[in-house]
Amino acid sequence: MSDQNEVPAVGGKSFTAVAINSASKAGEWIKTKLGNHTSLSLKYSAQDLVTEVDKGAETMIRNLVQTHFPHHSFLGEEGVEPGPEASDRALQSVRDAEYLWVVDPVDGTTNFVHGFPFFSVSIALAHKGEVIVGVVYDPIRDELFVAEKGKGAYVRGRRTQVSEEQTLRDSLLATGFPADPNYALPINMRGLQALVPQVRNIRSGGSAALHMAYVAAGRLSGFWEYGLNSWDLAAGALLVTESGGQVTDTKGNPYHLGVRHAAASNGHIHEAFVKVLEKAESDV
Ligand code: IPD
Ligand code: CA
Ligand code: CA
């Protein structure tokens, strides 16, 4: 905070306080719009949806963040052209920023559109590429998951801790069905086919950020998905590691903002988990 640029424009709120405030305000507003959205369009594919609520929530979060930190960079899903290449380019253009907010205003838009009550607001702050604050808010359950680098992660005022399962056999995993039908979906399906018979069961709730928060809270043993974006993963990744878990790409390499094919777990099962994914990837 020594840099003059980092002096907040309004008040002296901490990064975490601004992240929490923005996620809660946006989440409350999103909840009032459940069942009331007025526009629905497709983005990258027939499975990639956007409503005016996604855009409105992102604008709200951007305005709140910029009121406090006008010199920080901002990467929000709705400010980026659809598709993996455009997402990569957008991240590259801001990745080295001193402070970068990485935001998914509604993670789980399909659920929001259908009234399936499992979606979240995901807000992360990265300092020189390293995530230092992560907030995932579920407005339906009013659950706010908060992590600060080196200080742990919390939900409902209690420290979150990953689960204890030691083997895939005892594990409950989650995954998603990616919107990219060309690369990510088929490869994810191969992982699914390989893992189903080896684990206790697999869920697919439809919000990557909330799945990551559930791994952090010990409600899931692990989560993986191919073809995600920085805004799906950044906040959840810090939640998981600050809760004692592990986050890598699907080959076991360390997580960073550019990771798109991600595996998160309680750590105990990680090696076995990633091994199955790697084998499924290469067994074409
Ligand atoms: C999607 C959700 C979903 C996952 C997709 C994501 P969106 O994000 O996280 O669970 O399977 O790959 O794109 O589009 O609702 O923000
Ligand atoms: Ca998302
Ligand atoms: Ca989204």
Side-chain angles (χ1 to χ4, degrees), residues 55-197:
K55 294 176 187 167
E58 181 160 315
T59 302
M60 183 186 285
I61 295 165
R62 186 191 286 262
N63 288 342
L64 283 164
V65 167
Q66 287 181 344
T67 300
H68 292 280
F69 306 114
H71 303 291
H72 288 191
S73 299
F74 190 96
L75 178 66
E77 176 176 17
E78 307 313 334
V80 174
E81 289 297 309
E85 291 79 19
S87 300
D88 282 344
R89 277 198 306 275
L91 175 63
Q92 287 317 320
S93 69
V94 283
R95 201 179 167 151
D96 295 331
E98 182 159 29
Y99 286 100
L100 171 66
W101 293 79
V102 184
V103 172
D104 191 338
V106 182
D107 186 53
T109 298
T110 305
N111 289 345
F112 172 77
V113 164
H114 287 262
F116 186 89
F118 195 83
F119 48 84
S120 59
V121 180
S122 176
I123 300 182
L125 173 63
H127 178 240
K128 296 184 176 163
E130 185 189 21
V131 182
I132 56 169
V133 176
V135 172
V136 173
Y137 181 51
D138 168 356
I140 299 295
R141 290 165 195 77
D142 191 21
E143 282 195 320
L144 184 80
F145 300 84
V146 183
E148 283 183 327
K149 179 85 192 161
K151 294 188 185 164
Y154 294 80
V155 64
R156 296 184 186 273
R158 288 180 167 222
R159 198 133 183 187
T160 50
Q161 183 127 34
V162 293
S163 64
E164 285 296 326
E165 295 82 44
Q166 304 288 318
T167 62
L168 287 178
R169 173 56 53 212
D170 292 334
S171 291
L172 182 64
L173 302 185
T175 189
F177 298 103
D180 165 12
N182 302 316
Y183 175 75
L185 183 60
I187 201 159
N188 212 76
M189 294 307 284
R190 285 209 290 275
L192 179 62
Q193 187 139 26
L195 280 161
V196 176

